[in-house]
Amino acid sequence: MSETSHVTPAGKPRGRALGIPFTGNPGRFNAITDVPGVEVGYTTLVSGDGKMEIGKGPVRTGVTAILPLGREGAGQAIAAGYHSFNGNGEMTGVSWLEEAGALNMPILISNTHAIGPCHRGTIDWMVRNKPEVASQWMLPVAAETWDGYLNDINGPHVTSSHAVAALDAATNGPVEEGSVGGGTGMNCYAFKGGNGTASRIVNYGHRDYTIGVFLQTNFGSRNELTIAGVPLGTELADDNPMESFAASLPAGAGSCIGIVATDAPLLPGQCKALARRVPLGLARTGTAGSHFSGDIFLAFSTGNRDALNGRFPRGEPDAGTYSHMDFIPWGRMDDFYTAVVQATEEAVVNALVANAEMTGRDGHRSPALPHDRVVKALRARGVVAG
């Protein structure tokens, strides 16, 4: 493992820096970008303090962009599947994804009321970078979680240009976590949450494949929090301003968007099966899945690049043309399922650990996960070495 398994590019600690044990073998960066070709970019918007005025702030939000095949691969169709664990949320473009089993757009994630600008921004970016794709119809994928506790969510602060900037900023390598991009104003288990990522290597036959998970975490009630199998909600129940600030926000409300990437060759139905495993990883951190939490997941495979392309820029193929796909046998999928669960659990912990306290609109405060108290509790139970 490289040093990036323990700290983010900005030097913030990740879960492993606290000695928290995780199962499975991570990739070089322990991030979704361990999957070759995947790039991640952010636009982060933080401004203003004090009382909220709609349209004026304070602002605590942003945009995250995930490019499955990088800039050059935008527009190429790859196998993908989608799963809604709890539908109190939104992810655009999934009707066609379900129909065709294919994804050929970047993925953007932001706040609930910024879906429109992100959708438009993807179109603008594709028009500029892939005009041959933009000359036909496009169905961008834009997803959301609610950041209205800290952010002036009803103000038009996220624009299509911010979405374009996040796409332009996308790169491979280590991924920043915590309060950046779409995760800027998010909360998890009533601590400061946001973005988290992790990866696992799966050996199949004579080669290794990678499973990468990226989460925008904004879910869970404080009393549910579990780390490394240890329930911590009761011990960390104090300093919980979020769950007491208003009865109109039910405990546990929020949402989680999860993106799973792999270079293993998979069928669309197998991608959907990976997406269905994300909730199992979330459950390891304590959540039971609130009715008011929109938990929506998408998985894609880069292993059959363009095999599902329904567009033919050089004209329609001959009537006798066939497409072909390699895929892991269904009976050998268990190790890939396990990798999704393991990486999801670690991604949640990374989102919590790589964070700092944030104060937003109307003085609303989201405390950071107290590292020292977590380590002390895990050490007392023999989970972390003394």
Side-chain angles (χ1 to χ4, degrees):
M1 292 182 293
S2 68
E3 183 64 23
T4 54
S5 291
H6 292 75
V7 298
T8 75
K12 295 180 291 187
R14 308 180 76 192
R16 291 173 186 263
L18 304 188
I20 298 172
F22 299 100
T23 54
N25 179 28
R28 178 185 177 191
F29 305 118
N30 197 15
I32 193 172
T33 49
D34 284 319
V35 178
V38 176
E39 297 178 352
V40 176
Y42 293 133
T43 298
T44 301
L45 304 174
V46 175
S47 64
D49 291 294
K51 185 174 177 59
M52 186 188 74
E53 295 183 66
I54 295 177
K56 297 182 179 180
V59 179
R60 305 286 189 274
T61 195
V63 181
T64 299
I66 299 175
L67 281 67
L69 298 175
R71 287 174 180 76
E72 292 307 311
Q76 293 186 31
I78 52 177
Y82 146 87
H83 175 64
S84 173
F85 175 62
N86 195 63
N88 188 23
E90 182 62 84
M91 179 181 286
T92 68
V94 295
S95 295
W96 178 242
L97 190 150
E98 284 282 274
E99 179 76 20
L103 170 72
N104 71 341
M105 290 278 114
I107 300 162
L108 267 63
I109 316 173
S110 187
N111 76 60
T112 306
H113 297 173
I115 286 280
C118 289
H119 194 279
R120 180 68 241 182
T122 300
I123 293 172
D124 292 343
W125 188 86
M126 292 292 290
V127 167
R128 189 188 74 195
N129 290 280
K130 291 290 178 178
E132 70 279 8
V133 178
S135 65
Q136 304 180 46
W137 49 265
M138 291 182 288
L139 295 172
V141 176
E144 55 77 28
T145 62
W146 185 82
D147 61 12
Y149 174 71
L150 293 170
N151 178 50
D152 172 24
I153 193 171
N154 290 324
H157 304 294
V158 176
T159 67
S160 59
S161 63
H162 293 130
V164 170
L167 288 160
D168 283 340
T171 186
N172 54 21
V175 176
E176 193 55 54
E177 291 168 295
S179 298
V180 292
T184 300
M186 304 304 168
N187 305 278
C188 188
Y189 293 113
F191 286 115
K192 189 67 193 70
N195 299 330
T197 188
S199 69
R200 292 295 184 270
I201 304 299
V202 178
N203 180 262
Y204 177 79
H206 299 290
R207 65 164 295 176
D208 290 336
Y209 291 108
T210 302
I211 292 282
V213 172
F214 181 96
L215 303 178
Q216 183 164 295
T217 65
N218 192 51
F219 66 92
S221 180
R222 178 69 64 81
N223 61 26
E224 297 177 309
L225 177 62
T226 299
I227 295 179
V230 177
L232 296 175
T234 300
E235 292 186 51
L236 303 179
D238 59 305
D239 193 18
N240 189 359
M242 183 177 179
E243 289 187 357
S244 61
F245 96 103
S248 61
L249 183 64
S255 289
C256 183
I257 296 297
I259 307 300
V260 181
T262 185
D263 56 346
L266 300 180
L267 298 170
Q270 293 174 315
C271 292
K272 189 177 184 70
L274 292 187
R276 287 200 301 267
R277 267 63 187 184
V278 174
L280 299 179
L282 299 182
R284 286 188 175 188
T285 67
T287 183
S290 168
H291 173 72
F292 295 99
S293 184
D295 305 316
I296 302 174
F297 314 114
L298 186 156
F300 62 83
S301 163
T302 63
N304 286 287
R305 186 177 295 203
D306 229 22
L308 293 171
N309 195 4
R311 305 177 184 187
F312 303 94
R314 296 181 181 86
E316 290 295 320
D318 295 335
T321 297
Y322 295 89
S323 293
H324 302 273
M325 294 181 68
D326 293 326
F327 62 95
I328 304 294
W330 275 99
R332 297 295 303 276
M333 286 291 292
D334 284 358
D335 289 346
F336 295 92
Y337 297 156
T338 299
V340 172
V341 175
Q342 292 173 344
T344 298
E345 178 186 16
E346 184 168 4
V348 173
V349 176
N350 285 340
L352 288 165
V353 172
N355 236 313
E357 180 173 300
M358 179 178 285
T359 300
R361 52 161 287 196
D362 299 324
H364 291 171
R365 185 174 62 87
S366 182
L369 181 76
H371 297 175
D372 55 345
R373 294 176 63 187
V374 169
V375 171
K376 181 180 179 181
L378 296 182
R379 185 177 291 130
R381 292 164 175 80
V383 175
V384 172

